[in-house]
Amino acid sequence: MLSVMAKKTAQDDPLAPVTLAVGQEDLLLDRAVQEVVAAARAADADTDVRDLTPDQLQPGTLAELTSPSLFAERKVVIVRNAQDLSADTVKDVKAYLGAPAEEITLVLLHAGGAKGKGLLDAARKAGAREVACPKMTKPADRLAFVRSEFRTLGRAATPEACQALVDSIGSDLRELASAVSQLTADVEGTIDEAVVGRYYTGRAEASSFTVADRAVEGRAAEALEALRWSLSTGVAPVLITSALAQGVRAIGKLSSARGGRPADLARELGMPPWKIDRVRQQMRGWTPDGVAMALTAVAEADAGVKGGGDDPEYALEKAVVAIARAARSGRR
């Protein structure tokens, strides 16, 4: 069964009538969904799964999806971003919570903030099984996540190896989970710091993209810290400007794209679906003017590291600060 590193209620049956996944950590939200779907399909291989966004769940839609069937088929109905549901649809969901249908599992994904709190409270009052999926902002949380991943896969990893992996990969849980999976598949026996070092430590693309991620998220201090670490480990400045350019361009592409599912946008923009989800999180606070300012800053840094300036490190620091400031331009 898929591991969800999250605090759950005592009612921990994935086939409970209602599962409430609360938080903003995309990987954990996805795993909460996958756990329910896997349990449903283990009980009935023909389980019908409906995965809906708020715009697809109109008033009356839930009643249609959960109405009795002649064939009494098992069904999983997933509602993403439940905090964005319309008021009329929220009424439908609240009514359903009072009398959930047999053989149907409703999965509500909710960001957990003040928006849509009435639905959140109603689901809890109705006794929904709850899975907490909070953003892991602290290094200690990410370290605990890596340890949990190794345990779930039945493998031993030294504390130093887990720390080295977090230091090398950064804050993206999908990348951390993927790295753990790769190491356990490729390496026999206990995974130690030396093994992680051969695979990841000093990996230029990992460290340069960490700089870019923090910058486009508006986290200037963390971006500068990642930049100095990258430069101290020998990452070429040109790789960092390339990562910064890709990060800002991704923001620009997605902000001007038509709305839709990550898979559809991925095809349209030439990005993997997981990256669409990440960029969506990062683009909050960005404006078209901010993107233009950031692209100018990247171009200036690129010229600076390719011989147009005397101090490549200063050119990069200046660009990182400008990008972080641009990322916050729409929050004022």
Side-chain angles (χ1 to χ4, degrees):
M1 184 176 289
L2 287 162
S3 166
V4 179
M5 185 191 170
K7 177 184 175 184
K8 303 177 185 177
T9 61
Q11 185 189 6
D12 194 21
D13 177 9
L15 295 182
V18 181
T19 285
L20 179 64
V22 185
Q24 299 179 44
E25 187 57 69
D26 291 338
L27 175 65
L28 300 184
L29 289 167
D30 285 347
R31 286 186 174 184
V33 170
Q34 291 163 11
E35 184 179 32
V36 172
V37 172
R41 286 187 167 151
D44 181 353
D46 295 325
T47 293
D48 181 19
V49 178
R50 303 296 180 93
D51 196 332
L52 306 169
T53 55
D55 60 308
Q56 294 172 315
L57 196 67
Q58 298 298 320
T61 304
L62 184 61
E64 292 176 15
L65 290 173
T66 57
S67 60
S69 166
L70 286 174
F71 305 103
E73 63 182 351
R74 182 175 289 279
K75 187 179 292 183
V76 176
V77 178
I78 302 152
V79 180
R80 296 185 183 271
N81 298 311
Q83 72 278 357
D84 295 330
L85 291 172
S86 69
D88 288 338
T89 303
V90 167
K91 289 179 184 177
D92 287 354
V93 177
K94 286 182 177 179
Y96 178 81
L97 291 172
E102 289 187 19
E103 299 298 310
I104 292 177
T105 299
L106 176 65
V107 184
L108 298 174
L109 275 58
H110 194 292
K115 187 177 182 183
K117 189 173 184 297
L119 177 58
L120 191 63
D121 292 342
R124 286 170 171 161
K125 187 175 180 180
R129 165 183 178 261
E130 185 169 343
V131 182
C133 307
K135 271 287 184 188
M136 293 193 183
T137 56
K138 297 178 181 177
D141 292 338
R142 295 192 287 272
L143 184 59
F145 171 78
V146 167
R147 289 172 176 162
S148 174
E149 289 291 287
F150 278 119
R151 282 197 302 270
T152 299
L153 293 172
R155 295 298 301 277
T158 66
E160 294 78 13
C162 294
Q163 185 65 60
L165 201 56
V166 172
D167 290 343
S168 300
I169 300 297
S171 61
D172 190 281
L173 255 58
R174 291 188 192 278
E175 291 186 11
L176 285 168
S178 176
V180 170
S181 180
Q182 181 179 17
L183 287 168
T184 55
D186 291 356
V187 179
E188 294 183 0
T190 299
I191 294 163
D192 59 20
E193 188 175 10
V195 169
V196 175
R198 289 200 300 273
Y199 274 77
Y200 296 105
T201 301
R203 192 179 65 169
E205 61 269 28
S207 53
S208 59
F209 282 112
T210 298
V211 177
D213 284 342
R214 297 298 84 76
V216 300
E217 289 162 5
R219 294 153 65 178
E222 292 176 46
L224 288 170
E225 182 181 352
L227 170 64
R228 288 159 191 153
W229 182 86
S230 299
L231 293 172
S232 71
T233 58
V235 176
V238 68
L239 290 178
I240 299 174
T241 54
S242 175
L244 291 170
Q246 289 184 51
V248 175
R249 288 190 192 116
I251 297 285
K253 281 183 181 179
L254 192 56
S255 62
S256 60
R258 300 187 303 274
R261 289 174 175 267
D264 298 331
L265 287 169
R267 286 191 292 272
E268 181 184 339
L269 302 178
M271 299 180 193
W274 64 263
K275 189 168 184 180
I276 297 289
D277 290 335
R278 179 200 285 176
V279 176
R280 272 181 169 161
Q281 296 291 324
Q282 293 174 332
M283 62 190 284
R284 295 170 183 165
W286 281 90
T287 63
D289 286 345
V291 172
M293 288 164 46
L295 287 173
T296 298
V298 171
E300 291 174 354
D302 190 52
V305 303
K306 290 179 178 176
D310 297 327
D311 190 342
E313 183 173 342
Y314 173 72
L316 285 169
E317 289 183 356
K318 185 178 175 183
V320 162
V321 171
I323 292 168
R325 185 180 299 122
R328 299 190 301 271
S329 60
R331 300 179 192 174
R332 299 188 183 107

